[in-house]
Amino acid sequence: STLMRSSAASDVYKRQVTIMKKLQLLFCAVALIMISCTLSNEEKAEKLIQESLKGTLYHPESYKSISTQVDSAFINFENLAKVGELCEELGDLLDKESEYQREYRSAESSKSIYAPNGWYYDEHSRVKYNQYKQECEEYKTKLEKIAPKIATAISELREVSQNLYSDKFTGWIVSHRFTSKNGANTMTIPGDMIFVCDTEFTRCGNGMDSDTFEKLFKFIKKISEAESDEELKEEIMESKYSLF
């Protein structure tokens, strides 16, 4: 009876050892699978970028990655987008202001030609004088109305530019170099772009040419350092067509 109990206990022990070995093998297999499935940040970024480029490249199938560099970002991306929006808005307002000023000066000049001079004043001159006088008043009113809009846009632009950087980690800035075929599909051309990915690499914004990205931050620095509104306006108009 003692021998039988000893034999049974030995069998239970052997079965437990066998189960433990199988479990260890299973855990090792799962660990290997998890390791093989874990992508690096660069690989995660490239996967998102490739999806993003599908809609912009002439021949997406010709895309080939060259290099990817991922850096932590401490930027308020909402404010960065707002900078672009405000610059476009301000650029349009300044274009209108320039147009109104030009038309006002033209009407003022024409009005002076037909202004009463103490000599004979015919009906044609009187009509033209009143016409240009009215135009002057209209453009003066337009300038008065647009001025506070420009001032508000400038104030908002200064504020978002000065609050562009964050103390907290906000995502990833990805520098990506690649090649793809040109529109005619006759030659391979290089691409060098900057992409912004969220903290978990679940989405990636539209890319921007690396040179343009660098110019954008230099431009934002100039906005922050502009000492007067007139200086800031000049920066906006100079960069309007090259950046936005």
Side-chain angles (χ1 to χ4, degrees):
S1 176
T2 301
L3 183 61
M4 290 177 63
R5 286 198 298 272
S6 177
S7 177
S10 178
D11 289 341
V12 170
Y13 174 75
K14 288 179 180 178
R15 285 198 298 271
Q16 289 177 337
V17 170
T18 300
I19 291 171
M20 289 299 295
K21 287 182 177 179
K22 288 181 178 179
L23 286 173
Q24 287 177 347
L25 289 172
L26 178 61
F27 290 147
C28 288
V30 170
L32 287 172
I33 291 172
M34 290 180 66
I35 291 171
S36 64
C37 291
T38 300
L39 299 177
S40 67
N41 286 347
E42 287 75 15
E43 289 170 329
K44 292 175 184 177
E46 279 193 21
K47 188 175 180 181
L48 290 174
I49 288 170
Q50 189 169 6
E51 288 298 315
S52 177
L53 288 174
K54 280 183 179 179
T56 59
L57 295 179
Y58 289 113
H59 301 281
E61 72 284 354
S62 68
Y63 161 86
K64 289 184 180 180
S65 173
I66 297 176
S67 66
T68 302
Q69 181 178 342
V70 177
D71 293 315
S72 301
F74 295 84
I75 296 172
N76 186 324
F77 291 113
E78 184 178 342
N79 277 1
L80 182 60
K82 190 67 175 176
V83 167
E85 293 172 8
L86 285 169
C87 284
E88 286 193 66
E89 177 187 343
L90 191 51
D92 291 339
L93 288 170
L94 292 175
D95 278 342
K96 287 183 180 179
E97 182 186 48
S98 179
E99 176 191 346
Y100 297 158
Q101 289 172 339
R102 185 170 57 254
E103 293 295 339
Y104 176 82
R105 288 193 297 267
S106 176
E108 184 71 24
S109 177
S110 297
K111 185 184 74 169
S112 65
I113 294 173
Y114 295 99
N117 57 12
W119 296 89
Y120 173 74
Y121 195 57
D122 59 22
E123 182 64 16
H124 172 73
S125 297
R126 187 184 66 79
V127 170
K128 297 298 287 184
Y129 174 81
N130 288 333
Q131 173 190 332
Y132 290 120
K133 179 181 179 183
Q134 183 178 351
E135 287 185 14
C136 284
E137 292 172 352
E138 288 174 357
Y139 284 111
K140 182 180 180 182
T141 300
K142 288 181 178 181
L143 286 167
E144 289 172 349
K145 286 183 177 180
I146 204 172
K149 294 180 181 179
I150 291 174
T152 298
I154 287 176
S155 177
E156 290 180 3
L157 181 57
R158 285 187 183 278
E159 183 177 354
V160 295
S161 297
Q162 290 168 357
N163 292 280
L164 184 62
Y165 297 97
S166 172
D167 294 331
K168 298 179 180 179
F169 169 64
T170 57
W172 306 92
I173 293 180
V174 185
S175 304
H176 184 61
R177 296 178 66 239
F178 61 95
T179 61
S180 63
K181 291 289 187 179
N182 64 350
N185 202 19
T186 57
M187 61 183 294
T188 299
I189 56 176
D192 190 353
M193 300 181 70
I194 301 293
F195 293 83
V196 173
C197 298
D198 67 338
T199 56
E200 301 299 324
F201 287 105
T202 57
R203 62 182 183 276
C204 179
N206 293 328
M208 179 183 293
D209 179 83
S210 296
D211 289 340
T212 303
F213 190 80
E214 185 178 349
K215 288 178 183 177
L216 174 60
F217 277 86
K218 286 182 178 178
F219 167 72
I220 292 172
K221 187 173 184 291
K222 288 181 179 179
I223 289 176
S224 301
E225 294 175 349
E227 295 182 357
S228 67
D229 288 353
E230 290 306 314
E231 185 179 343
L232 189 148
K233 288 179 183 180
E234 289 179 8
E235 293 293 346
I236 295 289
M237 297 308 291
E238 287 179 7
S239 305
K240 178 181 177 183
Y241 298 104
S242 60
L243 286 176
F244 306 100

